[in-house]
Amino acid sequence: MPVSTDLSELRRARREAEGRLHRLSALGEQWHAEHGRVRRKLAEMREFLDLAPKARDTLEELSTALFGRILDEVEANLTHAIREILGQDRVVVTEREVKNNRLQIHFLIRNQGREDEIEDIMSGQGGSVCNILSVGLRLIALSQLPEVSHRPFLVLDEQDCWLKPGLIPKFMKLIQEIATRLELQLLVISHHPLDLFAGSADRIFELTPDREAGAVVKQVK
C-alpha cells in the first residue's frame, strides 16, 4: 500500500511538472517572439535616426534652392521699383544663410558700378528705400496667400511718409499697376496733398477734423 501511494504521488508530481514545463515553454516562446519584435523595431528606429539628418539636410537644400529662385524674382521686382521711383541706378540684393536650421535673409542696396558700397535699407534716402521695399514685400506676400482664406486687400497707412512729394506720383503709379496686375485692392492713407494721387487712385476721400463729428469725409474723386 505505501508503494502504490508513492507511485501515485510521483505520477501527479510528474504531471504537474510537465504542465509547468509546457506553460514555461509557451511563455518562453512568447517572450522570444516579443524580443524579436522589439529588436526589429529598434533596428527600424536606428535606421530612421541615421536617415533623419540626411533627410533634413536634403529638405533644407531643396527649400533653400526653391526659395532662392523666388528671392531672385523678388530682387528683380524690388530693383525695378527702386529705379522707377527714385530714378537711381541701384540694385536690391539679398544675403542668404542658414542658422539653427532656418534660412535667414538680409536685404541690401548696392549702387550699380560701386558694388562695394552697401546702403542700409532702413535709412537709405532718408527712409524712402525702406518705404518702397516694405510696400513691395507686402504686395508680394499678399499675392502668395490662398484666396480661399485671405481677401486680396491691403491697407497702406502712411507708407509714403518718408518719400519726397515729387516722388509720390511715381510711387502710386507703380503700386497701382502692380495691384491691378495681381488683382489686389489697396487702401492708401496719406498726409500728402491730394493732387499727388489724382493720376493713380480710382477714388479719393478727404478727411478733415470737425469738433462735433470728429471728422468729415468728403469724396473728391
Side-chain angles (χ1 to χ4, degrees), residues 61-208:
E61 291 176 2
L62 290 174
S63 62
T64 301
L66 175 60
F67 202 60
R69 289 195 293 271
I70 296 174
L71 282 177
D72 292 341
E73 185 175 350
V74 170
E75 288 176 355
N77 290 332
L78 294 180
T79 296
H80 174 71
I82 291 291
R83 290 175 173 175
E84 284 290 312
I85 297 171
L86 298 180
Q88 298 174 354
D89 196 7
R90 297 183 173 191
V91 180
V92 178
V93 295
T94 56
E95 288 186 348
R96 314 159 195 180
E97 58 180 342
V98 177
K99 287 186 177 180
N100 299 324
N101 299 325
R102 293 185 178 181
L103 179 63
Q104 298 187 4
I105 304 165
H106 305 280
F107 284 90
L108 306 172
I109 298 291
R110 288 198 173 101
N111 292 321
Q112 191 71 17
R114 292 178 295 174
E115 282 72 14
D116 293 338
E117 298 180 7
I118 299 176
E119 187 173 359
D120 183 3
I121 66 171
M122 300 302 294
S123 59
Q125 291 288 292
S128 300
V129 172
C130 184
N131 281 150
I132 298 171
L133 293 187
S134 62
V135 172
L137 290 174
R138 284 183 172 89
L139 290 170
I140 293 170
L142 184 59
S143 68
Q144 300 301 310
L145 296 175
E147 296 183 4
V148 177
S149 55
H150 295 84
R151 295 183 61 185
F153 178 77
L154 180 64
V155 177
L156 299 177
D157 187 4
E158 296 188 56
Q159 284 296 138
D160 56 359
C161 59
W162 299 111
L163 288 174
K164 296 178 181 179
L167 299 176
I168 299 300
K170 290 183 178 180
F171 176 70
M172 288 303 305
K173 182 176 183 297
L174 183 61
I175 65 174
Q176 190 269 342
E177 291 175 353
I178 295 174
T180 300
R181 186 165 65 249
L182 298 178
E183 298 183 349
L184 302 176
Q185 183 180 11
L186 297 182
L187 172 62
V188 179
I189 302 172
S190 176
H191 287 292
H192 281 101
L194 298 180
D195 60 335
L196 298 177
F197 301 88
S200 54
D202 296 329
R203 296 180 181 84
I204 299 177
F205 295 87
E206 181 181 22
L207 279 72
T208 55

Side-chain angles (χ1 to χ4, degrees), residues 49-62:
L49 292 175
D50 291 339
L51 182 62
K54 298 178 182 178
R56 181 195 59 205
D57 294 341
T58 302
L59 288 175
E60 285 182 358
E61 291 176 2
L62 290 174

